[in-house]
Amino acid sequence: MNWNRVVQKMAGVVALALAASFPAGAQSPSAGAPGIPGNPPPMADTPAMAIAKEAHGWLADLIKINTTNPPGNEQIAAMYIAAVLEKEGIKAEILDLAPGRSAVVARLRSAAMAEPSKALLLVAHMDVVGVEKSKWTVDPFAAVEKDGYLYGRGAIDDKGMLAANLAAFIALKRGNPRLNRDVIFLATADEEQFGDASVKMLIAKYWDKFAAGFALNEGGQVVLRNGKVQYVAVQASEKVPVNVEVIARGKSGHASMPTKDNAVVHLAAAVAKIGNYSAPVHFTTIVRRYFEQLATIEDDETAKWMRSLDAADRGEHAQRVISDMNPLWNAMLRDTIAPTMLTAGVRANVIPGEARANLNIRLLPGDTIDVLLAELTKLVNDPQVRFEIQPDAGLAAPPSSLENDFYATITRVAGREFSNAPLLPFQSTVATDSAQLRLHNVQAYGFTPFPLTDEDFRRMHGDNERIPLASFTKGVDVLARVIAEFVVAR
Ligand SMILES: [Zn+2]
């Protein structure tokens, strides 16, 4: 790295990079951090536990580097990470994507010749979503530590995971075991906007720098309730986002003489019908397995309906009951359609000739937009209304396998480390970088290893995002163990 250039361009980053040598977290153990009952503290610090204290400092520094997207400015975070890695004797490479926007990659080699199909990729994104600053009780970019929590935009999504990946990667380098495969660290840009600096662009420009057969990414969840880990969800698949415009046309004219072909009225009627429509349930292996596992910890009544979802006689009723209980469960069972935007009219006294609505659709993997639109066309049944698929649709990726060694390792280690909590494969309703990886034959899994309550989890993309420091430490330890069991040669 050219430090002169860095000094000239970004004096603040240098200070942060130097601070990385003495991370704040290393000097102030998190006194008063909320414990995670049900997971008794270990007798002694494992190497990963020890490095978690350093990782607190890296996480705090990364929060202080404002990577709100847009514009992202991930290059500054990439340089910080490269400096941390290089201090450990690990060569890091900055991969430029757009002005001020870069990814960073580093590799621990198992042999002189890389075998990409075996390699494990640790991936996390550096950009964060914006904040409504007035609604925060602390500065979202100051990494404030309070009552055992570290506050800041990105504390969970995704700088927590980024710092944990960094810690696990560095722990591996320090331990210097014989590896059975290459381990690659990758920090990506532009995940939140999926624009010109996204993982799609990164793959197009630099695939050979991080080609891998397996990957760990965000997207899962370790669910903490009443102080106990209830279950661990590992994301192995995701729904496909598609935007569709509904366009109603009519004759424009003076509002004093309304006619029946008013575009606004036709659009409103179409949107009302679509809003009340429920697409048919389609099961995937992952969703079947998810509900089977979840039934083992739900109350008797809920479990009964979960076990009946597929039953010939009362399956349909069970699907209705479960869908009504939780919008997430509803969205896991079927394609969903959310009308999100309406556009019509230019003047209060003019009937417009056209009115538009946007539908944000999330397809189950394997379902196609054409089939759904044929259904909606029949439902709306109005020659004045048509549909237009928008060009920003996500690509459908095959799910990751639930049968390989890596998934088995995640299941085994997570089960052991989280008091035998059940492990659920998860098909997320939101999109992550993993879809792009899966399209390149990577078996990618979303495993965010921090035990979090629903209340803390909901702060992602919301106000006062924070991570309990005890959960961060535990997560770093578990993540490092999962990785070590998969990559250390026996
Ligand atoms: Zn994220």
Side-chain angles (χ1 to χ4, degrees), residues 294-310:
L294 199 55
T296 65
I297 55 160
E298 287 291 341
D299 61 81
D300 290 350
E301 179 70 9
T302 308
K304 181 187 79 186
W305 293 118
M306 284 182 172
R307 292 197 177 98
S308 310
L309 280 170
D310 228 357

Side-chain angles (χ1 to χ4, degrees), residues 125 127 156-159 191-192 217-219 431-432 460-461:
H125 63 88
D127 59 318
I156 298 171
D157 183 12
D158 191 26
K159 287 175 173 172
E191 192 273 343
E192 300 289 1
N217 188 14
E218 64 177 343
T432 70
M460 275 171 52
H461 289 222

Side-chain angles (χ1 to χ4, degrees), residues 4 15 37 45 49 107 111 119 143 146 151 179 214 233 253 291 298 300 308 353 374 407-410 422 430 450 459:
N4 285 334
D45 269 10
M49 287 280 195
R107 180 184 294 263
K146 210 171 71 176
Y151 283 78
L179 301 177
F214 303 92
F291 282 112
E298 287 291 341
D300 290 350
S308 310
Y407 186 74
T409 304
I410 299 171
V430 300
F450 319 115
R459 293 174 184 229

Side-chain angles (χ1 to χ4, degrees), residues 97 103 121 123 125 186 188-191 194-207 210 217 432-437 440:
L97 292 157
L121 179 69
V123 54
H125 63 88
L186 178 70
T188 63
D190 203 11
E191 192 273 343
F194 202 64
D196 291 345
S198 76
V199 70
K200 193 174 173 186
M201 185 61 69
L202 189 67
I203 289 172
K205 273 180 101 167
Y206 300 109
W207 174 240
F210 56 90
N217 188 14
T432 70
D433 282 348
S434 290
Q436 295 295 317
L437 295 169
H440 287 76

Side-chain angles (χ1 to χ4, degrees), residues 12 24 43 244 349 426 455 490:
M43 298 308 284
V244 170
N349 61 357
F426 185 57
E455 203 267 322
R490 264 161 250 280

Side-chain angles (χ1 to χ4, degrees), residues 124-195:
H125 63 88
M126 293 179 285
D127 59 318
V128 295
V129 291
V131 293
E132 262 187 275
K133 213 164 178 175
S134 63
K135 297 211 176 139
W136 284 61
T137 56
V138 298
D139 180 345
F141 300 102
V144 173
E145 257 186 64
K146 210 171 71 176
D147 307 327
Y149 292 93
L150 181 61
Y151 283 78
R153 174 56 87 222
I156 298 171
D157 183 12
D158 191 26
K159 287 175 173 172
M161 185 88 198
L162 183 61
N165 278 352
L166 190 60
F169 189 71
I170 287 174
L172 208 53
K173 161 77 176 171
R174 287 182 189 170
N176 195 27
R178 201 160 63 80
L179 301 177
N180 60 21
R181 64 190 74 238
D182 282 12
V183 183
I184 306 162
F185 171 92
L186 178 70
T188 63
D190 203 11
E191 192 273 343
E192 300 289 1
Q193 293 273 317
F194 202 64

